[in-house]
């Protein structure tokens, strides 16, 4: 045997030894922090259209999402990742998927595939001439209470459709359909709770069936975010039946399981804990909320309860009408405890209460007008860490890029009989090294499952493709192989 071959064998022995040493010494401690610590960089695919749906004015909205993937070189494995969908807030009349981009990036770094989605915004504004020395005051008035239920229901349908978009592409997106999580802030949290908990028709709100028409908005509401660009052709707006609780975006025959909910200053408009779809586990619920929140009460009060007090006692304005009762985070947890529903809750509540003072004191009207501190995080980094720690034990997905799996695969000749190099490839050229002598044919997909190129032979040219992650399906006479290709 020549010296080069001896040296090569020696190097492989050393590498395998180091891998095994890592397993015995380091891996057990890092395994405990899987899904909690920031272990990866991330890739992203932005503005992915996942469906269309009819909005409150009868127009068709195109719905998009941004997707974030952990960068993890496990191309030799068939590992999957848990999915975490983030839902932005904005009182169902404003907001954008970009508002929770930071949260998606944070959890992609922990190993999740994450997505932030746009959903249908808007409700039929009241036709009253509301005015007050306060920005966008008239935008807070709905035509009636039912409009809040209908706006929330549309959002729930959209997020469910987005989840099914992933479930229908579990192979190309590497999603573990049995480990799905949803989280949101404010209206996004109300939506996330509805997505995970409203899973039987008996829980559907009566307000979501066909209702009487409402008069079109007053002219002072036409500049509201959700009314901009809308054309109201008639004096009244139809309110048809909104359809089933799942909506009709991306129907699927695949089953999936939502393991956990991240509820940040949200709640539910009804008791969604009582009924549960047969055979489905109850998702665990993490809640953060502050008692001084003027917009969504931590207890059971009407939406905008505190703002109404401030407007009437300090601004000499009308109180905000046509808002529904909501079970805030503490009320929701008490429903669970008092009725022995059996859900796992972790509550993180602060102690500052609203002082019912317009000008004076912490969390007063004037104080919150200046910094909106109570309908927000007290310490975002800390709350994100708590959520990650809460979700981690719920995840049954095997760790991605796990060292033990890598070592086993590196020793297993049947798996190493096909190698791709270089990978990642800055030049966008990939070469196939294989022990098989048969003809090689292959197909490359993008992460959404669309075929981008087909070919044969031992070289794959992706020079026309952008940076990102691609999936290679390689066929030999003996078997098929799936590998991940990375263009940095």
């Amino acid at each position: 045997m020549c010296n080069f071959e001896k040296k090569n064998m020696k190097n492989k022995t050393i590498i395998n030894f180091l891998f095994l040493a890592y397993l015995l010494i380091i891996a057990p401690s890092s395994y405990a922090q899987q899904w909690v610590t920031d272990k990866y960089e991330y890739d992203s695919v932005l503005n992915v259209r996942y469906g269309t749906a009819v909005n409150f004015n009868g127009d068709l909205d195109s719905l998009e999402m941004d997707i974030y993937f952990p960068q993890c070189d496990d191309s030799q494995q068939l590992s999957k990742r848990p999915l975490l969908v983030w839902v932005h807030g904005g009182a169902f009349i404003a907001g954008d998927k970009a508002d929770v981009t930071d949260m998606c990036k944070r959890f992609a770094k922990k190993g999740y595939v994450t997505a932030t989605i746009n959903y249908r915004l808007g409700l039929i504004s009241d036709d009253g001439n509301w005015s007050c020395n306060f920005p966008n005051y008239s935008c807070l008035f709905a035509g009636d209470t039912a409009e809040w239920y209908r706006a929330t229901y549309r959002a729930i349908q959209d997020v469910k459709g987005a989840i099914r978009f992933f479930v229908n592409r579990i192979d190309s997106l590497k999603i573990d359909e049995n480990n799905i999580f949803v989280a949101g802030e404010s209206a996004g949290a109300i939506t996330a709770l509805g997505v995970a908990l409203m899973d039987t028709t008996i829980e559907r709100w009566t307000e979501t069936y066909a209702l009487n028409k409402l008069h079109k908005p007053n002219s002072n509401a036409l500049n509201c975010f959700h009314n901009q660009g809308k054309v109201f052709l008639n004096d009244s707006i139809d309110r048809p039946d909104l359809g089933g609780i799942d909506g009709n975006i991306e129907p699927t025959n695949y089953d999936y399981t939502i393991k956990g909910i991240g509820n940040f200053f949200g709640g539910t408009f009804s008791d969604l804990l009582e009924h549960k779809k047969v055979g489905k586990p109850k998702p665990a619920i993490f809640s953060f909320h502050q008692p001084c929140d003027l917009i969504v009460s931590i207890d059971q009060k009407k939406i905008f309860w505190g703002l109404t007090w401030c407007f009437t006692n300090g601004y000499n304005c009308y109180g905000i009408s046509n808002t529904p009762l909501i079970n805030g985070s503490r009320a929701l947890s008490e429903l669970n405890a008092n009725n022995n529903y059996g859900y796992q809750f972790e509550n993180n509540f602060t102690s500052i209460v609203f002082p019912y003072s317009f000008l004076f004191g912490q969390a007063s009207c004037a104080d919150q007008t200046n910094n909106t501190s109570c309908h927000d995080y007290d310490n975002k980094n800390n709350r994100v860490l708590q959520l990650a720690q809460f979700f981690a034990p719920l995840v049954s997905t095997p760790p991605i890029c796990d060292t033990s799996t890598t070592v086993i695969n590196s020793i297993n000749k049947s798996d190493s009989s096909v190698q791709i190099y270089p990978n990642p490839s800055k030049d966008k050229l990939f070469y196939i090294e294989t022990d098989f002598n048969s003809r090689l044919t292959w197909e490359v997909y993008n992460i959404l499952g669309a075929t981008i190129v087909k070919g044969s032979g031992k070289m794959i040219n992706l020079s026309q493709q952008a940076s990102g992650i691609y999936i290679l399906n390689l066929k030999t006479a003996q078997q098929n192989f799936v590998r991940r290709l990375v263009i940095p």
Side-chain angles (χ1 to χ4, degrees):
M1 183 179 293
C2 68
N3 291 335
F4 174 79
E5 291 175 324
K6 289 181 180 178
K7 183 178 180 180
N8 207 23
M9 288 184 61
K10 182 179 180 181
N11 287 341
K12 288 184 178 180
T13 302
I14 293 172
I15 290 172
N16 286 337
F17 174 79
L18 291 175
F19 271 134
L20 292 171
Y22 178 89
L23 275 177
L24 295 172
I25 300 171
I26 301 174
S29 60
S30 62
Y31 186 92
Q33 291 300 306
Q34 182 73 33
W35 321 120
V36 176
T37 58
D38 294 350
K39 299 176 66 174
Y40 314 100
E41 296 299 321
Y42 64 85
D43 295 308
S44 63
V45 180
L46 306 181
N47 301 317
V48 176
R49 179 175 167 178
Y50 70 89
T52 59
V54 176
N55 65 27
F56 73 97
N57 192 38
D59 301 319
L60 196 63
D61 283 354
S62 179
L63 305 172
E64 296 183 340
M65 67 168 79
D66 296 340
I67 310 173
Y68 296 84
F69 304 86
Q71 284 186 1
C72 171
D73 187 13
D74 60 351
S75 56
Q76 305 300 318
Q77 305 173 38
L78 298 178
S79 62
K80 295 184 177 182
R81 292 97 163 88
L83 171 68
L84 173 55
V85 177
W86 277 95
V87 192
H88 70 80
F92 300 104
I93 58 175
D96 185 81
K97 58 186 170 63
D99 297 342
V100 286
T101 293
D102 174 59
M103 289 299 208
C104 285
K105 292 177 180 178
R106 288 175 184 239
F107 279 83
K109 291 179 179 180
K110 301 178 191 304
Y112 292 81
V113 171
T114 62
T116 170
I117 77 161
N118 278 341
Y119 52 91
R120 283 172 288 175
L121 295 177
L123 44 73
I124 303 176
S125 299
D126 195 62
D127 60 349
N129 186 26
W130 306 106
S131 61
C132 178
N133 187 25
F134 193 85
N136 300 315
Y137 181 67
S138 61
C139 299
L140 305 179
F141 289 78
D144 61 15
T145 305
E147 281 302 293
W148 279 91
Y149 289 91
R150 293 173 71 85
T152 306
Y153 192 72
R154 286 188 289 265
I156 290 170
Q157 290 176 322
D158 293 349
V159 177
K160 286 186 176 185
I163 291 173
R164 292 193 298 269
F165 177 92
F166 283 96
V167 172
N168 285 335
R169 295 161 179 79
I170 55 176
D171 292 330
S172 59
L173 296 178
K174 288 192 154 185
I175 300 299
D176 187 343
E177 69 276 17
N178 294 312
N179 285 271
I180 295 176
F181 299 80
V182 288
E185 303 170 352
S186 189
I190 297 171
T191 302
L193 287 162
V195 167
L197 299 176
M198 185 182 285
D199 56 2
T200 64
T201 302
I202 196 172
E203 295 172 315
R204 181 180 173 181
W205 301 313
T206 58
E207 293 85 351
T208 65
Y209 294 91
L211 298 176
N212 293 333
K213 298 180 180 181
L214 282 181
H215 195 276
K216 71 179 182 181
N218 187 278
S219 58
N220 67 357
L222 295 183
N223 288 325
C224 297
F225 179 86
H226 64 290
N227 288 328
Q228 290 180 12
K230 299 290 189 301
V231 177
F232 300 97
L233 297 175
N234 303 309
D235 287 337
S236 59
I237 303 173
D238 290 333
R239 294 199 288 177
D241 188 306
L242 296 181
I245 60 174
D246 294 321
N248 55 18
I249 296 173
E250 283 282 333
T252 185
N253 294 321
Y254 295 106
D255 198 11
Y256 64 88
T257 300
I258 296 178
K259 287 285 191 71
I261 309 166
N263 164 37
F264 291 95
F265 30 95
T268 64
F269 293 147
S270 60
D271 182 357
L272 295 179
L273 300 174
E274 181 179 2
H275 302 283
K276 193 65 192 163
K277 188 174 182 179
V278 176
K280 278 295 183 181
K282 297 174 178 178
I285 302 172
F286 173 97
S287 293
F288 167 75
H289 215 135
Q290 303 196 66
C292 54
D293 193 326
L294 299 180
I295 298 173
V296 179
S297 171
I298 194 173
D299 298 309
Q300 189 187 61
K301 292 189 172 93
K302 287 189 174 184
I303 292 286
F304 297 142
W305 69 283
L307 283 182
T308 289
W309 191 95
C310 292
F311 287 148
T312 54
N313 286 276
Y315 288 98
N316 196 29
C317 297
Y318 292 101
I320 305 169
S321 62
N322 295 336
T323 55
L325 279 172
I326 188 166
N327 299 302
S329 301
R330 186 159 59 194
L332 190 63
S333 179
E334 290 172 352
L335 275 174
N336 179 61
N338 294 339
N339 294 284
N340 296 314
Y341 287 144
Y343 286 82
Q344 177 188 348
F345 272 78
E346 180 178 313
N347 297 321
N348 294 272
F349 305 148
T350 59
S351 58
I352 302 171
V353 298
F354 178 50
Y356 285 94
S357 169
F358 181 72
L359 288 176
F360 305 107
Q362 185 179 12
S364 65
C365 299
D367 181 48
Q368 293 204 53
T369 299
N370 290 330
N371 57 43
T372 64
S373 58
C374 288
H375 192 63
D376 204 348
Y377 300 93
D378 56 343
N379 184 319
K380 189 173 184 178
N381 289 334
N382 184 43
R383 301 307 176 184
V384 168
L385 176 60
Q386 289 176 334
L387 180 64
Q389 291 171 332
F390 179 76
F391 279 170
L394 304 174
V395 179
S396 58
T397 309
I400 61 177
C401 290
D402 181 36
T403 308
S404 60
T405 307
T406 304
V407 171
I408 293 171
N409 284 343
S410 69
I411 298 172
N412 188 335
K413 188 178 187 301
S414 64
D415 189 66
S416 61
S417 55
V418 169
Q419 300 290 336
I420 310 297
Y421 69 93
N423 193 13
S425 173
K426 293 182 179 179
D427 295 331
K428 304 183 181 181
L429 296 177
F430 299 85
Y431 297 89
I432 303 169
E433 183 178 279
T434 177
D435 296 340
F436 298 114
N437 294 320
S438 60
R439 183 173 181 265
L440 303 177
T441 60
W442 43 262
E443 192 167 357
V444 179
Y445 309 88
N446 63 21
I447 56 175
L448 299 180
T451 301
I452 60 170
V453 64
K454 296 180 180 180
S456 61
K458 293 188 175 183
M459 187 186 80
I460 302 169
N461 186 342
L462 298 184
S463 60
Q464 301 302 312
Q465 307 304 319
S467 298
I469 301 172
Y470 299 88
I471 307 300
L472 168 68
N473 183 21
L474 176 66
K475 299 179 182 180
T476 70
Q478 288 77 13
Q479 64 187 101
N480 286 12
F481 296 85
V482 177
R483 297 289 187 266
R484 191 177 78 153
L485 307 179
V486 179
I487 300 177

